[in-house]
């Protein structure tokens, strides 16, 4: 009928996974999504950063419904996810890692929480290590000294330092719903309207700090929530904290400097690491 507005129905959830030579893990990740996505209309995207391990061929063979975006270079974490965030047509988008395992009920509860809490610009669930111990995925904003110590693994010398405990929110209860300053990018569900308002990841971060940055922007007009009632398992792949090579340290340092310059935070530089 002329003049009649046609309403386009949005899917419930888009899931974005950036892949770079993660063949051993990403197939299990996708399997867990489809195994535990009942009742939700889901689009799954894999953005491949020029992998050479055959993972793309395996995804095509085993999961033909997955939407693949192929890059001819490694574009990093944030910029690769932006390729999904700029096109997704669902109410929410879950940013996650290839070495994540989705557990039963997690996706449903995250969507349900976002539906019920209109002030939530982003939400993340409780993240567990493979041994089911708690992974501190919700955190307070870092100081520059803390960021450098994390990048150089200096903080591992002082694991019980009160500054580290405060940064990782080890002094907080992780069994209650709470607004937080930021969530790690291994499990970050964002609202479609929020991304339209605050923008996507800053592509100047190749890796590290892109999650802190986007959560800081979201927190200006929305809230970022931690939801502990449901979990994901993360860490089957060797993560960046275990990679001690010079290249990763330099990338971390570059991202830290850019983050603190961007937000004018170099004055917050007084933390000193020392054993309790």
């Amino acid at each position: 009928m002329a003049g009649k507005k046609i309403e386009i129905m949005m899917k419930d959830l888009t899931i974005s996974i950036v892949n770079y030579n993660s063949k051993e893990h990403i197939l299990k990740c996708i399997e867990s999504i489809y195994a535990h996505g009942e009742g939700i209309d889901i689009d799954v995207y894999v953005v491949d950063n020029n992998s050479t391990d055959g993972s793309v061929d395996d995804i095509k063979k085993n999961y033909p419904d997955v939407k693949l975006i192929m890059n001819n270079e490694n574009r990093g974490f944030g910029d690769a996810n932006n390729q999904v965030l700029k096109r997704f047509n669902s109410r929410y988008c879950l940013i996650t890692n290839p070495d994540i395992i989705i557990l039963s009920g997690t996706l449903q509860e995250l969507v349900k929480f976002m539906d019920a809490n209109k002030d939530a610009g982003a939400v993340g669930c409780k993240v567990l290590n493979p041994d089911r111990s708690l992974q501190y995925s919700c955190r307070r904003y870092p100081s520059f000294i803390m960021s450098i110590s994390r990048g150089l693994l200096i903080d591992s010398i002082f694991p019980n330092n009160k500054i580290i405990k405060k940064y990782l929110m080890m002094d907080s209860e992780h069994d209650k719903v709470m607004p937080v300053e930021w969530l790690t990018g291994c499990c970050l569900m964002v609202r479609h309207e929020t991304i339209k308002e605050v923008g996507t990841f800053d592509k100047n971060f190749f890796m590290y700090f892109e999650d802190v940055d986007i959560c800081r922007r979201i927190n200006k007009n929305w809230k970022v929530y931690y939801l502990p009632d449901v979990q994901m398992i993360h860490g089957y792949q060797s993560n960046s904290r275990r990679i001690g090579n010079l290249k990763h340290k330099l990338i971390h340092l570059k991202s830290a400097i850019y983050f603190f310059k961007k937000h004018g935070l170099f004055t917050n530089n007084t933390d000193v690491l020392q054993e309790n």
Side-chain angles (χ1 to χ4, degrees):
M1 182 182 296
K4 184 177 181 179
K5 184 178 179 181
I6 299 175
E7 183 178 353
I8 300 175
M9 297 297 295
M10 298 180 73
K11 287 181 175 287
D12 296 319
L13 178 64
T14 294
I15 298 179
S16 178
I17 313 167
V18 176
N19 178 54
Y20 180 66
N21 293 328
S22 300
K23 178 177 179 178
E24 180 183 352
H25 306 285
I26 193 166
L27 295 177
K28 295 177 182 177
C29 175
I30 297 171
E31 179 184 11
S32 71
I33 292 170
Y34 286 124
H36 300 299
E38 61 273 7
I40 306 178
D41 193 3
I42 300 177
D43 268 341
V44 179
Y45 278 85
V46 171
V47 185
D48 186 75
N49 274 338
N50 200 26
S51 296
T52 57
D53 64 347
S55 51
V56 170
D57 290 337
D58 280 1
I59 293 170
K60 289 179 179 178
K61 177 182 177 181
N62 292 283
Y63 299 102
D65 291 336
V66 168
K67 295 177 172 62
L68 276 164
I69 299 175
M70 309 287 293
N71 294 326
N72 57 13
E73 62 180 343
N74 188 347
R75 295 178 57 165
F77 179 81
D79 197 29
N81 274 304
N82 285 348
Q83 293 174 271
V84 178
L85 290 175
K86 290 177 180 178
R87 71 177 72 188
F88 81 100
N89 184 34
S90 60
R91 296 185 293 125
Y92 312 114
C93 182
L94 175 65
I95 307 298
T96 191
N97 284 0
D99 59 336
I100 280 280
I101 297 295
I102 305 293
L103 301 180
S104 178
T106 296
L107 298 177
Q108 292 82 357
E109 288 302 316
L110 288 173
V111 168
K112 182 179 177 181
F113 181 87
M114 292 290 271
D115 286 344
N117 295 271
K118 300 304 181 182
D119 63 337
V123 65
C125 68
K126 179 179 286 187
V127 179
L128 304 177
N129 294 306
D131 65 359
R132 302 304 194 272
S133 61
L134 177 66
Q135 193 172 116
Y136 294 99
S137 59
C138 59
R139 301 174 184 179
R140 296 185 176 97
Y141 295 134
S143 68
F144 186 66
I145 293 296
M146 171 58 69
S147 300
I148 297 304
S149 72
R150 294 277 293 177
L152 297 176
L153 304 183
I154 296 173
D155 62 309
S156 62
I157 303 174
F158 307 110
N160 296 315
N161 187 271
K162 62 181 181 180
I163 295 171
I164 297 171
K165 288 183 176 180
K166 180 179 179 181
Y167 166 67
L168 295 177
M169 296 184 65
M170 296 172 70
D171 57 348
S172 300
E173 295 180 24
H174 287 260
D175 293 318
K176 64 178 182 180
V177 176
M178 56 183 171
V180 297
E181 292 184 346
W182 70 282
L183 298 161
T184 60
C186 70
C187 172
L188 183 65
M189 183 179 286
V190 293
R191 188 182 298 274
H192 191 274
E193 295 89 343
T194 305
I195 294 300
K196 291 294 184 183
E197 178 183 305
V198 308
T200 58
F201 287 110
D202 186 335
K203 67 179 182 180
N204 290 299
F205 298 104
F206 177 79
M207 188 166 59
Y208 308 116
F209 287 90
E210 66 283 301
D211 42 11
V212 195
D213 173 74
I214 199 169
C215 285
R216 188 177 180 89
R217 287 185 276 134
I218 290 172
N219 261 319
K220 289 182 178 180
N221 295 313
W222 304 75
K223 288 184 179 180
V224 177
Y225 281 100
Y226 173 75
L227 184 63
D229 297 333
V230 288
Q231 301 90 34
M232 296 182 187
I233 302 172
H234 175 237
Y236 288 98
Q237 184 175 353
S238 295
N239 61 41
S240 58
R241 289 287 292 163
R242 299 191 187 107
I243 300 175
N245 62 52
L246 179 60
K247 178 181 178 181
H248 279 260
K249 290 178 181 178
L250 290 175
I251 292 172
H252 190 279
L253 176 61
K254 180 180 179 181
S255 293
I257 292 172
Y258 176 72
F259 173 80
F260 282 87
K261 280 185 175 180
K262 176 179 180 178
H263 294 282
L265 299 173
F266 269 114
T267 55
N268 184 19
N269 190 22
T270 58
D271 288 351
V272 177
L273 293 180
Q274 58 185 16
E275 197 65 62
N276 285 348

